[in-house]
Amino acid sequence: MSDLLNKAREFEDTYKKYADKERPAFHLTGGIGWINDPNGFSLYKEDYHLFFQYHPFSTHWGPMYWGHVKTKDFIKWERLPIAMAPDSEVDEKGCFSGSAIELEDGKQLLMYTGVKEVRRSDGILEDIQQQCIALGDGVDYEKIDRPVLSAQDLPVGASEIDFRDPKIWKEDGKYYVVIGNRTEDGSGAVLLYESEDALHWEYRGIIDRSYNVYGKMWECPDFFELDGKRVLITSPQEMIPIGLEFHAGYGVMALLGEYDKNNYQFNRESVQSVDYGIDFYAPQTLETKDGRRVMIAWMQNWTNIHSQPSGIRLFGSMTCPRELHVENGRLIQNPVKELEAYRTNKVVYKEVPIQTVTSLEGVSGRIIDLTVTVKGKNYSKFKMHIGQDKDHYVSIRYRKDKNVIRVDRTRSGGRFDIVHVRDFVIDEKEELKLRFLIDKYSVELFVNDGRQAATFMIYSPLSAEGITFESDEMVRVDVEKYDIEI
Ligand code: FRU
């Protein structure tokens, strides 16, 4: 083991206990320090493994290590020693995002982007990105000392500076990988490679590309079959809003279509945002033992990383894993069913008439799973506050006349003038169903059984736990609330 890796493992072991007070109850954080993207989310032997972009030494991004945990149920995680450090010639500037797969010989293969500095012919230094491999037993990994995909494997016009985040899978006996790239028009694309052994790769084409419509560089692609459709998920940088569907900056989108495997041809039929909140990026999926497609994402956004509250020891956490489906041409997402095993203290209300500001006995908290169903024909505005005390609240407002939900965390303790408000369109439905997972400093909202999701961090004190309901005309509301106990 390299000195660098050994030191990082010791550092994490020594200091992780100092972060325990800050940890959310049922969302994953790093041992200590900074995390970003989920990596290598996959089944290995009997467990689901998750790696992540990790800089344990501070709460800021730095040369990337791969942190490592595993789980049986997506809710309780077991911490494993740090898997990789930027300790080889090909990844001296960082082990960037990637994925993992179990090989037939029982080894676990990690495929990741190694970043390395080179001097260009004009004397300028720049970082190039190449795809690298490490092999291991689920705890310790040995890197292959040369990249398996680099500049010479790129099609004409493709960038070797933005060539990253391989997502590997096996299909019909062969290995495939999709990799994010930037093409000659300056915008993103997803490249496809094929291999017999996961070590030697052949370029097969471009799965899809931005043409400067859907942002610039496309990061962290994932490509899988689901409910009879093919789904491409990617995280574009520098997006321009299109109506209320995409917002400016870093976003995550799902492209749905048909895939002609024989010709490596993806025919896109639709494009949508994956999450309409503020803090959601770089998701990755796996297929469970029982055939479900489960996604996890970094519950942060690059635009907000300099607005960390002071005095913290952890920055960055993961979403609650979500089960995905495609229904009527849309990607649907809901928290994994395994979360239900951790629900306690059920509180139920049926058909409560709501108009003026109302709170309900037993309906409050900051570690809860809460579902609210709103019924009514004549109202045009329904509003909830969550995380409320006399100085703080998060507001969730539904404009029925416009079918728009607004989440607003302006008064939820954030000390920086960053994005606090998002609006998004939902489908016209007779009843509005809102499910909230609130875990201390995060809110994940699922609308109408997962047709839309909106995820964002909040920073108010944990004593701000009130919940209220209000409507401009009388509505009837069903409420089901659980505490989550791990
Ligand atoms: C996405 C990303 C990836 C990259 C990693 C670096 O959040 O920018 O493209 O591999 O983070 O930490």
Side-chain angles (χ1 to χ4, degrees), residues 21-138:
K21 281 210 295 285
E22 291 168 26
R23 281 187 216 290
F26 62 102
H27 286 75
L28 179 72
T29 50
I32 179 92
W34 162 282
I35 68 168
N36 57 287
D37 315 357
N39 296 154
F41 191 36
S42 56
L43 178 66
Y44 179 64
K45 311 261 188 227
E46 284 305 299
D47 297 316
Y48 300 109
H49 283 242
L50 179 72
F51 304 80
F52 46 86
Q53 293 284 283
Y54 195 21
H55 188 249
F57 310 107
S58 78
T59 51
H60 298 277
W61 192 87
M64 282 289 109
Y65 292 65
W66 271 38
H68 191 188
V69 291
K70 67 179 183 182
T71 184
K72 292 209 182 292
D73 68 359
F74 301 112
I75 305 297
K76 257 191 187 155
W77 301 88
E78 180 187 334
R79 244 169 242 294
L80 294 169
I82 296 173
M84 289 197 288
D87 54 11
S88 85
E89 197 250 324
V90 287
D91 59 28
E92 61 189 18
K93 295 288 290 282
C95 301
F96 275 22
S97 284
S99 48
I101 197 165
E102 179 169 348
L103 298 178
E104 252 142 53
D105 65 5
K107 289 210 178 86
Q108 190 178 30
L109 176 141
L110 312 182
M111 188 166 187
Y112 68 102
T113 301
V115 184
K116 148 189 178 138
E117 192 173 64
V118 294
R119 194 173 289 282
R120 293 191 325 212
S121 52
D122 59 7
I124 304 282
L125 285 173
E126 72 186 3
D127 290 347
I128 58 156
Q129 304 187 336
Q130 309 179 94
Q131 314 322 314
C132 303
I133 276 179
L135 295 166
D137 60 1

Side-chain angles (χ1 to χ4, degrees), residues 97 118 152 237 292 298 361 402:
S97 284
V118 294
Q152 80 243 20
Q237 298 176 325
R292 291 174 292 151
W298 183 40
E361 173 86 39
K402 300 195 159 133

Side-chain angles (χ1 to χ4, degrees), residues 371-390:
T371 301
V372 176
T373 309
V374 185
K375 304 168 208 179
K377 286 209 165 42
N378 303 325
Y379 75 102
S380 57
K381 286 188 208 117
F382 173 79
K383 193 162 89 176
M384 283 179 64
H385 282 181
I386 58 175
Q388 173 154 346
D389 65 10
K390 73 181 197 343

